[in-house]
Amino acid sequence: MVRFLMALALLFSVQAHAQVTQRNLLAKKYSQAAFSEALLPHGQWAPYPKTPEAWRAKTDPAELAKIIKAGEEALEKPIPLVTASLLLDFTRSGDRERHAAASFGRRNQLMNLVLAESMEGKDRFTEAILNSVWAICEETYWGVPAHLSAQRAKNGLPDVEDPTVDLFGAETAAVLALTDYFMGEKLAKISPLIRPRIYFETNKKIFEPLRQPTRYGWLSTTNPVNNWNPWIVSNLLIADLLLENDAKKRADNAYQYTVFLDRYFNSLGDDGGCDEGPSYWFAAGASAYDALAILESATNGKVNIYDEDLIHKMAAYVYKVHIANDYFVNFADADPKLKPDGLMLYRFGKAVEDPELAAFGEWAYGQFGAVTGGNGYQRPRKVWNLLGTAELKADKNKTYKPVPNAWLSDIEVLTARSSNGLYLATHAGHNAESHNHNDVGDFIVYADGEPVIVDAGRGNYTARTFSSKRYELWFTQSQYHNLPVINGLGQPAGKQFNARNVKSNASDKEVSLAMDIAPAYPQQAGVLNWNRIVKLNKVKNTIEIADDFALKQKPDSLQQIFMTVCQVDTGTPGKIILTTAGKKTVSLTYDPKAWTVATELPSTEGMEYSSFKTKWDGSPVTRIVLTAKTLKPKSKHSFIISKS
């Protein structure tokens, strides 16, 4: 087991930023011949129960009852229509949700029906399963319109002559593979053409298009890849291993997908951190574990890299960025709140022999329950979770010991806790990270598990979100993060806009991150250096932000932004009182001779912003703007955050 412990009084100096390291953990350990030899034959691999009796022997009865109820609810619903107009909705309006509701709804219904029938075995759900399978097989394209840019025809309607593979096409392949696994014999009794149709469509839409891997960015061998890679690969593996009857093709495909997975591991820094944030880690690092678990199961444990240091660190990342309850550090597009999948975390912790991760999983399972069933993504994971409910009982009294400090040196993220309930997370990095926000030098603060100074988070995904207009959205701009605005300018996007001289320090007295964020600003801002130190003072139990800067000339304007979801009282000069939803008060002190203070509410109107009406439990995001009264080319200033 690899544990992370920040050494006291140890100073780190780093030069990070994403690059590809040709580790090739799987390919170097297993040749194609060795892999093929280790792989269990198609008819001998039975990863999940198939009969009601087997399900009852391995699953919590309460979970079985929930699954059957979900199947009954699915039985009452018509199959959603996926029309050409819905597919065109993305290019016509920019909306992604109307098509997703129909397409994802089909797959949710099918999986709920399949699991219910497998667990009950009375043929109540079989006819509905037949119709759902047929409807999905009839679809031209299994992905979402936002991902059609991989096709030669680009966005619009999908080109049936140019199939391409995206996240949700791979998800669909896994859904149909699981359907065939659980229901194949019953479907064959209705018609001998159904199972061949499932295979034909999966082969045509998924397996064959992957013979041209160079057309997919998520399979790059030279550029870092993100969650798409392990998310897709985990679904490809289950689809191939369950559907492919040709032994050689099955083994060749599975090995190729294993090689694809190496490209994700090659993209990670040595710290194993996820620059997309913890909510995306559940689709990235956790999906990598899904793939490894499938490989381990399908080879009777012979294909196994859980002893690799990188895998340990990738696993440990998720509890290093946990704040409290369902709050996690949410830099970039990550969500601030999520209900972690405790059963998966427990299984992953056991696999890599990390008792802290296993304990975190037990705690999460007790707090938030089982993540199982047919809805949502990563369905093979959720089926495996079901089997864990017989071994692990949900216990709300389970606890775990949070990590006091963490330093993730490659993604340049630091976290720290004080003895009086203050929590700090800050980062350096660059402005070309996956799901990037322009936010080099940003930080967040929580008090007793409640948000105080926040990264507002992402809005709703639309056509603008991943287009050239991405940074027109306020929540991606540095001007709406806890950063300076210099001469009216914020940070641009791009890897060259980064932090330099990054140093992390941890001692008995403080945990801090020092960095020069000058390179993160454009030349027009005229910044020579902007040395920022973000510090948790363990003696005073305060958080301190100190800036020491030099500009080419006296600026026209200078502002410091603080984003919050607290009630804001600016009535006392030099002190901003922030009141949390739980009525805790936190003070943000500043020099009233140096700054004026104002507040504003960023827009929540429009497709991209509607989620901000509910994201922070209904609390509005407030932008606090401190404006410098005296403008100098060189100066220092500081801000202190403390519990009142």
Side-chain angles (χ1 to χ4, degrees):
M1 181 203 73
V2 174
R3 298 188 183 189
F4 181 92
L5 181 62
M6 188 176 290
L8 299 178
L10 183 61
L11 188 70
F12 295 88
S13 179
V14 302
Q15 183 176 1
H17 311 327
Q19 59 183 6
V20 174
T21 303
Q22 298 296 338
R23 299 181 183 92
N24 300 317
L25 298 178
L26 287 156
K28 286 182 178 178
K29 188 172 182 179
Y30 302 102
S31 67
Q32 183 156 359
F35 180 90
S36 299
E37 184 178 349
L39 198 63
L40 291 172
H42 182 271
Q44 294 181 25
W45 187 49
Y48 310 117
K50 284 188 174 183
T51 67
E53 295 75 22
W55 278 114
R56 286 194 293 270
K58 295 186 176 182
T59 310
D60 180 356
E63 287 299 319
L64 294 180
K66 282 167 53 179
I67 297 294
I68 292 172
K69 182 179 179 182
E72 291 171 341
E73 292 172 354
L75 201 57
E76 299 301 315
K77 297 176 182 178
I79 298 173
L81 291 175
V82 178
T83 64
S85 294
L86 275 183
L87 286 161
L88 287 169
D89 207 9
F90 176 72
T91 53
R92 289 172 170 174
S93 71
D95 183 85
R96 294 174 57 145
E97 296 184 4
R98 288 186 285 268
H99 172 271
S103 179
F104 297 173
R106 283 184 166 196
R107 288 136 180 86
N108 290 341
Q109 284 178 224
L110 174 57
M111 204 67 244
N112 283 325
L113 292 165
V114 166
L115 290 175
E117 181 57 40
S118 178
M119 293 171 186
E120 186 186 78
K122 297 179 180 178
D123 273 336
R124 276 203 296 160
F125 306 96
T126 305
E127 195 73 12
I129 292 168
L130 165 70
N131 290 321
S132 288
V133 167
W134 202 253
I136 291 171
C137 285
E138 290 285 297
E139 292 174 10
T140 300
Y141 175 65
W142 284 347
V144 297
H147 299 161
L148 280 171
S149 58
Q151 293 194 344
R152 288 184 287 272
K154 303 301 181 184
N155 293 324
L157 290 174
D159 183 353
V160 70
E161 296 182 5
D162 185 28
T164 53
V165 179
D166 81 332
L167 292 173
F168 306 111
E171 282 274 345
T172 304
V175 167
L176 289 174
L178 290 169
T179 299
D180 184 85
Y181 176 83
F182 289 120
M183 291 293 301
E185 293 177 6
K186 288 189 175 184
L187 292 174
K189 290 179 181 178
I190 297 174
S191 169
L193 298 178
I194 300 168
R195 299 184 79 180
R197 178 72 187 279
I198 289 173
Y199 174 80
F200 175 85
E201 297 295 344
T202 304
N203 190 57
K204 181 179 72 173
K205 292 182 171 78
I206 305 298
F207 299 151
E208 288 302 318
L210 288 170
R211 308 270 178 224
Q212 302 177 50
T214 56
R215 70 183 305 187
Y216 301 105
W218 56 272
L219 288 177
S220 175
T221 58
T222 56
N223 296 319
V225 299
N226 67 1
N227 70 82
W228 273 53
N229 177 285
W231 186 348
I232 291 175
V233 167
S234 61
N235 283 289
L236 295 178
L237 282 169
I238 203 80
D240 170 66
L241 292 172
L242 291 180
L243 286 178
E244 184 57 67
N245 285 306
D246 183 302
K248 185 177 187 308
K249 186 176 179 181
R250 178 175 178 262
D252 289 350
N253 281 352
Y255 187 74
Q256 181 63 68
Y257 304 154
T258 300
V259 171
F260 289 165
L261 183 63
D262 268 336
R263 297 174 191 178
Y264 178 70
F265 299 139
N266 293 349
S267 299
L268 294 175
D270 288 339
D271 65 2
C274 179
D275 68 353
E276 302 172 271
S279 60
Y280 276 97
W281 180 90
F282 282 89
S287 288
Y289 165 62
D290 292 338
L292 294 177
I294 292 167
L295 291 171
E296 180 189 28
S297 173
T299 62
N300 263 344
K302 293 178 181 177
V303 174
N304 183 324
I305 58 168
Y306 293 137
D307 60 343
E308 292 284 349
D309 187 54
L310 182 74
I311 305 303
H312 288 213
K313 289 178 177 177
M314 181 187 76
Y317 162 83
V318 70
Y319 61 78
K320 293 177 184 176
V321 290
H322 178 240
I323 300 171
N325 303 315
D326 54 355
Y327 284 112
F328 286 77
V329 174
N330 70 308
F331 299 132
D333 267 354
D335 290 316
K337 298 188 76 172
L338 63 98
K339 291 181 169 47
D341 182 345
L343 286 167
M344 181 277 297
L345 294 170
Y346 175 77
R347 291 190 296 111
F348 199 177
K350 298 289 280 187
V352 297
E353 298 183 2
D354 183 343
E356 291 168 287
L357 181 57
F360 183 56
E362 287 192 83
W363 169 83
Y365 181 34
Q367 294 298 311
F368 306 113
V371 179
T372 60
N375 291 332
Y377 314 128
Q378 287 89 33
R379 294 176 183 88
R381 176 193 305 171
K382 293 175 180 178
V383 180
W384 251 303
N385 280 350
L386 276 169
L387 306 181
T389 59
E391 172 191 351
L392 192 65
K393 302 300 180 185
D395 183 352
K396 290 187 177 295
N397 295 317
K398 284 285 185 181
T399 60
Y400 83 102
K401 186 178 180 180
V403 174
N405 316 318
W407 170 236
L408 297 156
S409 58
D410 289 280
I411 60 173
E412 297 184 341
V413 170
L414 178 138
T415 68
R417 302 173 191 272
S418 73
S419 60
N420 73 334
L422 282 178
Y423 181 93
L424 169 69
T426 184
H427 71 104
H430 59 87
N431 284 334
E433 294 165 341
S434 184
H435 292 270
N436 178 69
H437 290 192
N438 293 333
D439 59 356
V440 172
D442 190 24
F443 62 93
I444 63 174
V445 176
Y446 280 61
D448 296 326
E450 291 190 276
V452 179
I453 304 297
V454 302
D455 182 314
R458 69 174 177 89
N460 305 74
Y461 283 167
T462 68
R464 280 209 293 174
T465 310
F466 299 106
S467 74
S468 60
K469 298 181 179 179
R470 175 177 177 84
Y471 297 100
E472 295 176 8
L473 302 169
W474 66 254
F475 55 83
T476 63
Q477 299 170 10
S478 71
Q479 297 93 318
Y480 289 82
H481 288 75
N482 305 301
L483 291 163
V485 180
I486 306 166
N487 280 315
L489 297 172
Q491 301 176 7
K495 193 172 182 180
Q496 70 272 33
F497 299 105
N498 57 28
R500 65 190 174 200
N501 302 327
V502 179
K503 297 178 181 179
S504 171
N505 180 58
S507 72
D508 291 330
K509 294 181 179 180
E510 69 177 50
V511 180
S512 66
L513 186 65
M515 57 197 137
D516 182 359
I517 61 174
Y521 286 82
Q523 288 187 357
Q524 304 93 295
V527 189
L528 296 173
N529 56 68
W530 194 288
N531 294 306
R532 164 164 282 200
I533 298 177
V534 183
K535 178 193 305 181
L536 175 69
N537 188 317
K538 292 187 173 184
V539 177
K540 298 179 181 178
N541 281 322
T542 60
I543 290 169
E544 304 170 10
I545 300 91
D547 290 337
D548 183 349
F549 66 87
L551 309 178
K552 291 180 181 177
Q553 59 189 33
K554 186 176 78 171
D556 296 326
S557 64
L558 183 63
Q559 297 171 316
Q560 170 62 43
I561 307 302
F562 294 96
M563 305 294 291
T564 187
V565 290
C566 293
Q567 293 179 6
V568 181
D569 180 353
T570 61
T572 303
K575 182 177 288 189
I576 301 170
I577 303 299
L578 305 171
T579 304
T580 70
K583 305 305 180 186
K584 301 286 177 62
T585 57
V586 176
S587 298
L588 193 168
T589 59
Y590 63 95
D591 182 356
K593 296 178 182 179
W595 304 92
T596 62
V597 61
T599 62
E600 61 184 43
L601 297 176
S603 173
T604 59
E605 299 304 315
M607 282 192 299
E608 288 89 0
Y609 304 123
S610 61
S611 66
F612 287 103
K613 296 175 182 177
T614 57
K615 183 181 294 291
W616 295 96
D617 294 328
S619 296
V621 175
T622 299
R623 185 176 186 244
I624 302 171
V625 183
L626 297 182
T627 302
K629 294 180 179 180
T630 303
L631 299 170
K632 301 177 182 179
K634 292 183 179 181
S635 189
K636 298 178 182 180
H637 57 250
S638 64
F639 309 97
I640 307 295
I641 299 169
S642 59
K643 291 177 68 175
S644 301

